[in-house]
Every structure is written in C-alpha cells, then in structure tokens.
Amino acid sequence: MTSPVSMPEIITYSIVSKGTLVAFPRFGPYLPLYTGVQTISVTARGGTGSVHLSTRPGYKARYLTRKIEDGQTVVLPNVARPEGENRYLSFFSDTDGADYSVMIIKY
C-alpha cells in the first residue's frame, strides 16, 4: 500500500505597476502569505524594483528585501510562515508600467 503524497499548489499573479505601486488583485499592496508557503519567485519585465517580506503591512516591518532587475528572476526560498504569525509580500516599483510575475509554491 502506498502513502499519500502531498502535491504542491502553485499560485500565480501578473501585475502591472502604477507608478511605484504594485497591487495584488483583491488584496492591495500587501499580500498575506498563505499557510504552507515554501518558495516565492518574482520576475520583472520592462522595469526594475524590489520585493519585500514583512511581519505586518508597512515598510517598517520589513525583514527581507531583494532588488529585482529587468528580465531576471528573484527566488525567495524557505519562506515558511510560522504557525500563528503573519507574513506579507509586497513590492516597490522603480518603473511605471512594469510587469511583475509572481509564482508562489505552497504545500
């Protein structure tokens, strides 16, 4: 008899920046991370910016920041959200009209 295998779920977003704002549909500039998040990858097209992880909405709560260059992918591995705590994903865009592609892998 075989054991059940947990398959990852892949969640994607494609967002075009408006000025410096990169807003997630239905969530705004701060995406609450899901339970079971493992890896986040981000690609920017047509501009540059930065991706941030924070413990609450707002720039003062950031604990991780990575620069995103045009056409390159930034991977944030091991982004597990501790049980009972909050984590948020956000962006700052240097370029109006830049396209940000986000892929979140969760188990």
Side-chain angles (χ1 to χ4, degrees):
M1 187 170 202
T2 61
S3 299
V5 176
S6 178
M7 297 298 292
E9 180 181 349
I10 298 174
I11 301 161
T12 60
Y13 294 94
S14 181
I15 309 164
V16 176
S17 65
K18 293 184 171 102
T20 60
L21 177 67
V22 180
F24 291 91
R26 301 183 324 268
F27 294 101
Y30 292 94
L31 176 71
L33 291 182
Y34 314 95
T35 301
V37 168
Q38 178 64 33
T39 302
I40 299 170
S41 66
V42 180
T43 304
R45 297 278 185 212
T48 61
S50 54
V51 59
H52 311 280
L53 293 175
S54 59
T55 55
R56 63 182 189 278
Y59 72 94
K60 291 182 180 181
R62 290 179 187 161
Y63 65 89
L64 179 71
T65 297
R66 295 288 183 265
K67 184 79 176 143
I68 306 169
E69 298 297 332
D70 188 19
Q72 296 192 349
T73 300
V74 172
V75 177
L76 306 175
N78 303 318
V79 188
R81 186 190 87 178
E83 188 67 35
E85 294 189 26
N86 295 317
R87 295 292 187 264
Y88 295 88
L89 178 67
S90 64
F91 293 89
F92 179 86
S93 183
D94 297 326
T95 312
D96 182 41
D99 182 27
Y100 291 87
S101 299
V102 182
M103 181 175 66
I104 300 172
I105 299 174
K106 69 175 255 185
Y107 285 89

